[in-house]
Amino acid sequence: MARSSVSLRLFVAILVLAALPVLGGWWAWKRQGPLQQEATVLVKKGTSINQMADQLEREGVIRSASLFKLWARARKLQLIRGEYTFTPQASLSEVASKLRRAEIHYTTVSIPEGAHAWSVQKRLKDFVPEEVFWTLWKSPRLARTAGFEKAETLEGLAAPATYKLHHAMEPEEVMLMLVEAFRNQVRPKLEGGPLPPYETLILASLVEKETKLAEEQPRVAGVYKRRLDIGMRLQCDPTSLYARWLLGDLRFTAPLVEDIRRSHRFNTYAVAGLPPTPIAIPSPSAITAAKAPLAGKDLYFVATGKGGHSFAPSLRDHNKNVGVYRKEIARQKKVARGY
């Protein structure tokens, strides 16, 4: 009996000793990790399992790169490039699970209608370094991808949309996403107007910057189309501002006299015809207006000071509308001063 009891205790001891490594491994796998605050880790293209494990240990996300490597090889982990966010004290199991399921953290970036190059650059600054942005902005390959291989810049060649980006993306990949969206969503809609597709896009951008009112846009497009037809300068204020910005003066103010008088190929006060490229991203309604300019006799328009525009067929009538506009602005200033 005594001998049997000794044998049982020996057997139990052997089982415990055998289980210790397993229990220790399980504990190391499930215990709270060393991370003290939320951390973001980038899995770049071509990152190996060993590199990933060492990076996670080096950045304090996990305690044991060796244990991670063993698990990754056993599960045949396929690393998916992306940006991963880990919470404080995340266990090795939780870290591994997030990578296995490719729970990528995305940032949404909106590129709105009416945005121009400088606005797009500012919105993408966390994903595309400024110098790289301006180099890619003039990329013939990206312009060709958008559907306009002869376009000198990507101005107007990005689709207005909300994009899901992560910091493991390459800058060119980010820009490619914008122009591919344009090619798929916008480029087909430029066909069928009185102007070639790229000129339709340019005209639409002018309309977009002149008025946000969809009901006015066909009328504005009609004015510009008639001016093009008779060889009259477009005299579009937003183009004079665009010329200013191209020269490095990034004051985003109303046009000054010096802007209107500036000799520049984008300033439609100084040169005839459309500018060489769009001056912003047009909205769908502006594109529709550029494809179907409203027929009529109007050659002029001016703001009313109340959110819309007054149109006129002659300079005489236009000057009257300008007078009404100035009176309205003077009235608003008096009200603002409390008179």
Side-chain angles (χ1 to χ4, degrees), residues 5 48-49 71 120 156 180 182 187 197 215-216 223 281 288 335:
S5 177
S48 68
I49 295 296
W71 171 85
V120 174
E180 284 182 339
F182 172 88
R187 178 65 179 83
E215 63 271 22
E216 280 193 347
V223 169
I281 298 172
T288 299
V335 170

Side-chain angles (χ1 to χ4, degrees), residues 83-303:
E83 177 181 346
Y84 295 85
T85 301
F86 300 104
T87 56
Q89 298 183 324
S91 68
L92 185 54
S93 172
E94 291 169 337
V95 171
S97 179
K98 179 166 284 193
L99 289 168
R100 180 174 58 81
R101 295 197 301 265
E103 294 180 11
I104 298 171
H105 173 75
Y106 290 95
T107 300
T108 57
V109 175
S110 294
I111 305 297
E113 299 164 357
H116 47 58
W118 298 272
S119 175
V120 174
Q121 186 276 318
K122 185 176 181 180
R123 290 169 183 271
L124 295 179
K125 62 183 176 64
D126 291 336
F127 300 90
V128 183
E130 185 172 2
E131 291 185 5
V132 176
F133 175 89
W134 292 114
T135 298
L136 293 173
W137 194 250
K138 298 178 181 179
S139 166
R141 191 178 72 81
L142 289 174
R144 184 166 57 251
T145 300
F148 292 112
E149 61 180 340
K150 295 184 179 180
E152 59 185 67
T153 74
L154 300 185
E155 188 67 85
L157 303 186
T162 298
Y163 297 88
K164 292 174 62 178
L165 307 177
H166 60 75
H167 289 88
M169 297 175 70
E170 296 296 328
E172 187 168 357
E173 186 181 2
V174 174
M175 302 298 287
L176 186 62
M177 183 181 292
L178 272 60
V179 299
E180 284 182 339
F182 172 88
R183 180 192 63 203
N184 296 331
Q185 301 169 23
V186 181
R187 178 65 179 83
K189 298 176 182 178
L190 297 171
E191 302 285 349
L195 297 174
Y198 192 61
E199 291 184 11
T200 297
L201 184 67
I202 296 173
L203 177 57
S205 74
L206 270 57
V207 172
E208 177 69 24
K209 298 307 288 185
E210 285 286 14
T211 179
K212 297 291 186 183
L213 299 178
E215 63 271 22
E216 280 193 347
Q217 289 176 337
R219 201 167 182 181
V220 171
V223 169
Y224 285 145
K225 180 61 170 61
R226 277 186 288 281
R227 287 191 171 206
L228 288 171
D229 291 342
I230 65 176
M232 183 178 177
R233 292 182 181 180
L234 300 186
Q235 297 182 330
C236 171
D237 283 357
T239 66
S240 70
L241 288 175
Y242 198 86
R244 177 210 287 178
W245 302 332
L246 283 173
L247 294 172
D249 183 348
L250 298 181
R251 288 175 295 162
F252 295 99
T253 65
L256 305 173
V257 173
E258 63 199 65
D259 297 317
I260 291 172
R261 292 178 178 174
R262 179 178 290 114
S263 178
H264 193 283
R265 67 194 187 105
F266 270 83
N267 181 14
T268 56
Y269 277 92
V271 296
L274 293 165
T277 76
I279 60 171
I281 298 172
S283 61
S285 61
I287 290 174
T288 299
K291 285 175 60 178
L294 187 67
K297 297 182 179 179
D298 291 331
L299 284 172
Y300 303 87
F301 62 90
V302 66

